[in-house]
Amino acid sequence: MVSKTTSRQRQVPGTTLADIADAVGLQEGAAGVRSVIAAFRRLGSPAVKDVSRATSLPVPLVAAVAGEFRKRGLLTKERPSSLTPEGRSLSDTLGMGLDLSSVCRSCDGNEIVIPPELAGAVEELREIMAAGPVADLSLDQSHCTAETKVRRILALIDAGLLPGSSLVLIGDDDLVSLAIGVVGRALGIPLTSRLAVVDISEDFLDFIADTATDLDLPVDLTQHDLRRPLPQRLRGQFDAAMTDPPYTAEGARLFLSRAVEALDDGPARSIFFSFGAKGPNDMLDVQREIIDLGLVTHSMIRNFNEYEGSGILGGTGFFQHLLTTNTTGLTVTDTYDGPLYTREKRRRRRAYRCMNCDERFEVGFEAPWSSVTALQEAGCPKCGERRFRPGTLVEEENGR
C-alpha cells in the first residue's frame, strides 16, 4: 500500500506539469513548467518579468503558465502572485523544499561586477542614451542598459583584448562604441587600437559621430546593409568583433558572417555574441548556424545583457564569447535576401485582454500592434490601460 501511494504521488505532479505545458503550447514541456514553479517558490511574489528572467522563458509564456496555475489553484489571484498552499505542496512534492539559491549576490549571476571607479561612466552613458535615437522594435532593436554596456567592455578587458586590440561592432544601436570612449576616459587610457562600426541606420551613425567627437574618440563609421558582404576595406582587419543581431537564426548567421569577414585570418579570434532567450528548438537552429560557420563557444553568461523595453524576452539575453577555428570562414553568407527580423518570420497572432476593461486585442503578424510592447506603449484604445493579459494563439482559435 505504501509503495502504491508513493507511486501515485510521483505521477500526479508530472501529469499536472505536462497538462499545463500542453495548455499553453510550451516548447520546453513539463520541465519548463517546473522551472516556473521553482521560480515562484524561490522568489516569493515576483513580477512576471522576474520569473521570465529566472527561467529564460518569454514573458507572454510565463504569464500564460501563471494563468494555468491560477485555474488549478496553485497560484494566488492577486498580482504579483505567490504559490498557494496547494502550490507549495506541489513544489514540495517536486523536491523544491530546500529553498536554496547559488546565484552570486554580488554579480547577480552576471560574473562581472562593475567597479566603483566606473560608476560615473555608467551615469554618463545613461545621459548619452537619453539623447540618442529611439529603438526600432520592427528591427528587433532594444537598447541594452548602461550597466550592460560597461559589463561588455569589462568582458573584453577580462579576455585580454582590451586595451590595445582592434574591434569592429557589427551593428551598434546599443552604442557600445561610445561606451568604449566613456570607459576609456574614466580609466585614463585609450582602449582600442582601432574601433569601427558598421550599421544600416544613418540616425545612429550620425549620433555616434557627433558624440564621439565630444569624447575625442576615433571611430571608423560605415553605413552598410549587412545583407551584403562587407566593403573590402573592412575585411580581415580586426582582432575582435561584437554583435547583437536580430533574434532569428537567420539574423544570427548573417551578422556572425559579417563578423567573421571582418576578423583577421586564423584561429582563436574573438566574437562576442549577444542574443535573446528562445525556446530549445529555436536555439538549436542558432547553435547549428554557429557551428556551421566554424565557430566554437569559449564561454557563455546567461542573463548577462539587460535591455530597456524588451518586454517579450523579460529584458535579458545571453552573452557568448565565440572563437574562430581553422574552418571558420568557409561557409559565410554571401548576399542574403530572405526573412531576417522576428516580425518577418512570425506569422502568428496572440490575443491579449485589457486588465481593466477586458477588451480583446490581437498582436503579431499583420495585426494593429506588432508586439505586446507596442500595445503597452499605445495603451488600451478603449480605456487607456497599459496592462494586458496574454491569451491563446489566434491560429489555434481559428484552427489554422
Side-chain angles (χ1 to χ4, degrees):
M1 180 65 69
V2 173
S3 63
K4 288 183 180 179
T5 301
T6 303
S7 175
R8 184 174 183 275
Q9 286 174 341
R10 288 174 180 168
Q11 291 174 7
V12 171
T15 302
T16 301
L17 303 189
D19 289 345
I20 293 172
D22 289 342
V24 301
L26 188 62
Q27 201 178 97
E28 290 78 1
V33 178
R34 180 188 174 95
S35 71
V36 175
I37 294 176
F40 274 105
R41 174 70 185 247
R42 185 173 67 254
L43 300 174
S45 300
V48 170
K49 182 177 178 180
D50 294 329
V51 178
S52 173
R53 176 182 176 126
T55 60
S56 294
L57 294 173
V59 167
L61 283 178
V62 171
V65 170
E68 292 297 323
F69 285 171
R70 294 186 188 95
K71 290 179 185 178
R72 291 164 169 79
L74 303 176
L75 207 62
T76 59
K77 300 290 187 182
E78 72 273 5
R79 291 170 174 79
S81 301
S82 59
L83 293 176
T84 62
E86 292 81 2
R88 279 190 82 82
S89 177
L90 174 59
S91 70
D92 285 338
T93 305
L94 293 169
M96 299 174 183
L98 293 175
D99 293 331
L100 293 177
S101 176
S102 59
V103 176
C104 172
R105 291 182 175 87
S106 296
C107 69
D108 197 23
N110 289 320
E111 300 185 19
I112 291 178
V113 177
I114 299 174
E117 53 265 40
L118 292 181
V122 172
E123 291 302 320
E124 184 175 353
L125 285 169
R126 287 199 184 107
E127 295 176 3
I128 289 173
M129 290 173 64
V134 298
D136 186 343
L137 297 178
S138 69
L139 300 180
D140 288 356
Q141 291 179 355
S142 186
H143 298 162
C144 71
T145 64
E147 290 85 353
T148 297
K149 299 183 204 314
V150 174
R151 284 200 301 268
R152 288 182 182 180
I153 295 164
L154 291 172
L156 287 164
I157 293 173
D158 287 350
L161 290 163
L162 300 182
S165 296
S166 55
L167 175 69
V168 60
L169 301 171
I170 305 299
D172 193 28
D173 59 274
D174 281 325
L175 306 178
V176 173
S177 56
L178 300 179
I180 288 172
V182 170
V183 171
R185 187 167 65 179
L187 297 177
I189 183 173
L191 291 181
T192 56
S193 59
R194 180 185 178 189
L195 177 63
V197 172
V198 184
D199 203 291
I200 195 172
S201 171
E202 186 175 354
D203 288 343
F204 275 100
L205 291 173
D206 287 346
F207 181 75
I208 292 171
D210 291 343
T211 311
T213 299
D214 296 337
L215 294 171
D216 196 24
L217 173 70
V219 56
D220 181 351
L221 301 174
T222 302
Q223 185 177 17
H224 183 72
D225 187 343
L226 294 170
R227 294 175 187 266
R228 306 292 179 262
L230 291 182
Q232 191 62 44
R233 70 180 186 82
L234 295 176
R235 297 189 191 183
Q237 300 293 310
F238 298 90
D239 300 313
M242 183 177 287
T243 189
D244 191 341
Y247 295 151
T248 62
E250 293 84 354
R253 181 184 182 88
L254 182 63
F255 279 54
L256 288 173
S257 288
R258 300 300 171 245
V260 168
E261 285 180 348
L263 292 179
D264 191 10
D265 290 336
R269 305 296 181 188
S270 292
I271 300 176
F272 293 87
F273 170 55
S274 295
F275 205 79
K278 295 280 190 177
N281 293 335
D282 295 324
M283 287 311 303
L284 178 61
D285 291 338
V286 173
Q287 293 301 315
R288 282 174 173 157
E289 299 294 1
I290 290 171
I291 293 172
D292 188 56
L293 286 167
L295 300 170
V296 63
T297 299
H298 182 64
S299 65
M300 188 173 86
I301 306 175
R302 178 172 166 263
N303 291 337
F304 180 93
N305 294 303
E306 296 178 300
Y307 297 94
E308 298 182 344
S310 182
I312 293 293
L313 299 176
T316 63
F318 67 72
F319 184 74
Q320 195 166 358
H321 182 183
L322 305 173
L323 296 177
T324 60
T325 66
N326 287 331
T327 65
T328 300
L330 300 180
T331 59
V332 296
T333 299
D334 190 15
T335 297
Y336 181 76
D337 292 311
L340 183 61
Y341 301 103
T342 302
R343 64 180 175 83
E344 296 174 335
K345 293 198 65 184
R346 183 182 294 149
R347 305 181 72 86
R348 303 181 303 172
R349 297 188 190 186
R350 185 177 291 275
Y352 285 82
R353 288 194 177 276
C354 174
M355 292 180 65
N356 180 52
C357 69
D358 205 40
E359 190 76 7
R360 180 183 181 278
F361 304 98
E362 292 184 6
V363 171
F365 179 67
E366 293 185 345
W369 298 273
S370 61
S371 68
V372 68
T373 301
L375 176 59
Q376 290 168 335
E377 289 178 351
C380 173
K382 184 175 180 180
C383 70
E385 177 63 59
R386 295 182 183 273
R387 296 175 302 151
F388 299 88
R389 185 178 298 111
T392 59
L393 292 174
V394 175
E395 290 91 335
E396 292 175 355
E397 292 179 344
N398 296 339
R400 294 200 298 271

